């Protein structure tokens, strides 16, 4: 097994072999060998949070007051973004990533578009905000894929509004030049993102796609989260967002479409045919009343599935896995669309692959030693036979049942306590209070 984050980049490329959930461990070992660390419970590959906006953690509780829409929620989000600095973003992200580690997450895909200072003025280090996120993940003890995001327009042909000037590099070429200065580290890899078809002009989509292709890097994109986006894209270009992305070379096996909620049959065929991963974020999609995406049809068409906590209304990948199945049951009025093993694969191996960590997400020789252990003796998980551990983890456990989190062989969470951030609730409270306005 390879060493912890920060000690040199791990080799690239998948080690091959079966997923841990599909290959039960031996049961005839009488006792751990001398010097072994025992992880009591159900030990899985570390969980991959494939879609995060770290600063949205400051919105928890605030945006659940009253009613509203995605668009009114976005106005509150802008208010938080306006107050962030590299230092305050580091503090908030460090606490948020520590919360993820407590929930068994060993790798996060950070969809990062808050690049510049107030008014859009670049910092002395143009990547100060992204570097703050990379440093925050290191201090919280988890891996990160920084998905540096092109965000150039407020809508089809419209310039950024006064909030969005902090997000915009002006052009895709300028974005590419700035993003190229970001460097990977032992715990960090660099990817790209198109915020959405409304935020990157169609004639600049190829620039972002080519940047990722040249580097063999992950490329993520928010896709069809809202019907209003679909309607505006049809009015501007005469085609759906998915077709627009396909026509400009954005889709492919290294591409992940986030949400993919409102799709046509042709859209589903395009995404599946390109083997693009779909990142479902059920808790956020429910919280914002977005709708239920066609995950079953997308997977049948050829798209792997991953999971994300997105706006961090909660941070719990077991809940996201459970919600994907249960939401589909509500819509279809039938049960059993995915097995527990398949849902865990979305939360582990396929999530890591979508973030460019093909050497993670499995328990086998040569894979990264990233592990999470679910307690099977809590009030939620006690009772079922051990052979039903996967079903118990997905359909009964929560993030509160994570007993251990190991990243690169280092115990980051031991017996439910974070070993690097001593008081995670206080770190969250203090970093969020600093943004009050």
């Amino acid at each position: 097994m390879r060493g912890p984050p920060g000690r040199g980049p791990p080799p690239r490329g998948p080690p091959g072999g079966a997923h841990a959930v599909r290959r039960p461990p031996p049961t005839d070992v009488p006792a751990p060998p001398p010097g072994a660390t025992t992880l009591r419970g159900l030990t899985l590959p570390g969980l991959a949070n494939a879609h995060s906006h770290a600063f949205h953690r400051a919105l928890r509780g605030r945006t659940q007051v009253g009613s509203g829409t995605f668009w009114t929620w976005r106005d509150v989000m802008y208010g938080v973004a306006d107050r962030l600095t590299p230092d305050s973003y580091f503090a908030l992200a460090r606490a948020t990533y520590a919360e993820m580690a407590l929930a068994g997450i060993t790798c996060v895909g950070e969809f990062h578009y808050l690049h510049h200072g107030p008014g859009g003025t670049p910092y002395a280090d143009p990547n100060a905000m992204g570097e703050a996120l990379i440093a925050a993940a290191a201090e919280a003890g988890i891996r990160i894929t920084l998905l540096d995001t092109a965000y150039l327009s407020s809508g089809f042909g419209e310039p950024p509004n006064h909030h969005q000037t902090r997000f915009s590099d002006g052009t895709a070429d300028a974005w590419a030049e700035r993003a190229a200065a970001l460097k990977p580290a032992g715990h960090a890899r660099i990817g790209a993102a198109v915020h959405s078809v409304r935020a990157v002009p169609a004639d600049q989509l190829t620039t972002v796609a080519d940047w990722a292709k040249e580097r063999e890097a992950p490329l993520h994109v928010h896709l069809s989260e809202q019907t209003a986006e679909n309607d505006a894209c049809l009015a501007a270009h005469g085609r759906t967002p998915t077709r627009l992305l396909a026509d400009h070379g954005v889709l492919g096996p290294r591409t992940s479409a986030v949400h993919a909620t409102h799709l046509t049959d042709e859209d589903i065929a395009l995404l599946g045919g390109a083997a693009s991963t779909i990142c479902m974020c059920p808790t956020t999609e429910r919280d914002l009343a977005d709708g239920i995406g066609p995950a079953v049809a997308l997977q049948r068409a050829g798209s792997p599935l991953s999971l994300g906590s997105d706006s961090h209304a909660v941070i719990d990948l077991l809940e996201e896995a459970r919600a994907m199945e249960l939401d589909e049951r509500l819509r279809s009025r039938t049960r059993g669309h995915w097995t527990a093993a398949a849902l865990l694969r979305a939360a582990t191996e396929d999530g890591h692959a979508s973030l460019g960590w093909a050497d993670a997400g499995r328990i086998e020789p040569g894979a990264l030693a990233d592990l999470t252990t679910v307690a099977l003796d809590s009030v939620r998980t006690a009772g079922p036979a051990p052979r039903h551990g996967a079903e118990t983890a997905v359909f009964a456990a929560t993030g509160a049942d994570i007993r251990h989190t190991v990243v690169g062989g280092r115990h980051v969470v031991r017996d439910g306590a974070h070993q690097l951030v001593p008081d995670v609730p206080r770190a969250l409270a203090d970093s969020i209070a600093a943004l009050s306005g």
Side-chain angles (χ1 to χ4, degrees), residues 49 51 100 281 284 307-317 320:
N49 187 353
H51 189 66
M100 291 185 192
C281 306
T284 292
L307 298 165
S309 62
D310 193 3
S311 66
H312 311 317
V314 299
I315 293 176
D316 188 339
L317 263 288
E320 303 298 343

Side-chain angles (χ1 to χ4, degrees), residues 278 280 293-300 303 305 324 328 331 338:
I278 306 301
M280 306 301 292
V296 172
L298 284 159
Q299 189 169 53
R300 286 174 178 166
S303 288
L305 300 177
M324 188 163 69
E328 188 63 32
R331 180 170 65 175
W338 294 277

Side-chain angles (χ1 to χ4, degrees), residues 157-324:
E158 297 296 324
N161 65 33
H162 68 283
H163 297 293
Q164 296 164 344
T165 55
R166 296 194 69 179
F167 310 161
S168 178
D169 291 293
T171 67
D173 286 336
W175 165 84
E177 182 178 358
R178 180 188 52 74
L182 287 161
K183 302 301 180 188
H187 75 294
R189 294 180 180 174
I190 309 301
V194 170
H195 179 272
S196 56
V197 293
R198 68 177 186 274
V200 177
D203 61 359
Q204 299 185 58
L205 289 169
T206 302
T207 300
V208 183
D210 287 348
W211 188 97
K213 183 177 180 181
E214 289 165 6
R215 292 161 176 78
E216 298 185 349
L219 174 61
H220 287 219
V221 55
H222 289 134
L223 178 64
S224 292
E225 182 178 6
Q226 295 289 319
T227 55
E229 177 181 284
N230 290 356
D231 294 343
C233 188
L234 286 166
H237 297 291
R239 65 196 86 176
T240 66
T242 302
R243 169 54 74 181
L244 188 68
L245 294 175
D247 289 349
H248 288 84
V250 176
L251 301 185
R254 283 192 300 273
T255 299
S256 292
V258 182
H259 304 304
T261 307
H262 303 285
L263 303 178
T264 66
D265 290 344
E266 182 192 33
D267 293 340
I268 292 169
L270 286 169
L271 289 160
S276 293
T277 295
I278 306 301
C279 181
M280 306 301 292
C281 306
T283 297
T284 292
E285 290 149 10
R286 294 188 300 201
D287 184 46
L288 298 181
D290 288 342
I292 302 170
V296 172
L298 284 159
Q299 189 169 53
R300 286 174 178 166
S303 288
L305 300 177
S306 65
L307 298 165
S309 62
D310 193 3
S311 66
H312 311 317
V314 299
I315 293 176
D316 188 339
L317 263 288
L318 297 176
E319 168 61 23
E320 303 298 343
R322 173 165 57 246
M324 188 163 69

Side-chain angles (χ1 to χ4, degrees), residues 8-169:
R12 294 180 179 271
H19 188 269
V21 172
R22 299 196 298 265
R23 188 177 62 190
T27 58
D28 58 350
V29 179
T37 298
T38 302
L39 303 177
R40 299 199 179 278
L42 175 67
T43 296
L44 305 166
L47 305 179
N49 187 353
H51 189 66
S52 162
H53 302 289
F55 76 91
H56 291 190
R57 176 60 179 83
L59 301 173
R60 186 183 296 178
R62 294 174 55 186
T63 54
Q64 280 75 36
V65 176
S67 59
T69 67
F70 169 87
W71 309 104
T72 57
W73 169 89
R74 190 177 71 160
D75 289 339
V76 180
M77 178 270 287
Y78 284 154
V80 173
D82 287 345
R83 292 189 289 275
L84 283 164
T85 67
D87 286 343
S88 63
Y89 204 3
F90 166 81
L92 176 58
R94 173 179 176 268
T96 302
Y97 295 155
E99 182 183 357
M100 291 185 192
L102 288 170
I105 293 164
T106 57
C107 185
V108 61
E110 184 61 38
F111 199 101
H112 168 56
Y113 54 81
L114 184 52
H115 302 304
H116 306 299
T121 302
Y123 290 103
D125 173 0
N127 285 307
M129 296 295 261
E131 296 291 353
L133 293 165
I134 291 172
E139 291 214 5
I142 69 172
R143 304 184 195 275
I144 185 172
T145 296
L146 188 75
L147 298 161
D148 197 279
T149 303
Y151 194 135
L152 310 173
S153 169
S154 67
F156 297 92
E158 297 296 324
N161 65 33
H162 68 283
H163 297 293
Q164 296 164 344
T165 55
R166 296 194 69 179
F167 310 161
S168 178
D169 291 293

